[in-house]
Amino acid sequence: MEKGVMLEPGCAECSEIEDISHVIITCRRAKACWQIWEESSLLQKDNFHEEINYLFDNTSHEKIEEFCIIAWSIWSAKNTRIWRNISQNDESIFRTAMHMLHSWRHVKNLANQGRSSMEVPVAEINDTEEDREVA
């Protein structure tokens, strides 16, 4: 029982036994999201903890950031489906992750330049490459 709600022990997507490795890496929904990532070939393990260790030893800081935000977005989408009954497609999960990462990197760069995010219009922070292509 979690949050006063009885939960099934299986994955909400495929009914397999759910653990962090399943939700983030081996579930069919997770695999579909990872296939969108241009660096999906970096995924070498079926165990979340082993994957994190492998990435830290074998790839760049930027790719680790991407992995972490995609993993968080997959986890968040799972929880949104369970708790709010709202489903997102794989592309939406991935795009949300990349948008959050772009925004975070933008604000981090501003901080490194000595500018506060409070000095930057929200439109500039939320402006992604894709948004600029549409405009």
Side-chain angles (χ1 to χ4, degrees), residues 96-113:
T96 297
M98 292 299 100
H99 181 76
M100 286 189 299
L101 181 59
H102 174 79
S103 295
W104 178 77
R105 285 177 174 166
H106 183 75
V107 170
K108 187 173 126 182
N109 286 337
L110 293 175
N112 288 340
Q113 296 170 8

Side-chain angles (χ1 to χ4, degrees), residues 42-60:
L42 292 172
L43 301 179
Q44 300 291 315
K45 311 290 181 188
D46 284 342
N47 178 287
F48 179 76
H49 298 100
E50 289 176 10
E51 187 65 48
I52 289 283
N53 288 331
Y54 174 81
L55 290 171
F56 271 93
D57 291 342
N58 296 290
T59 194
S60 70

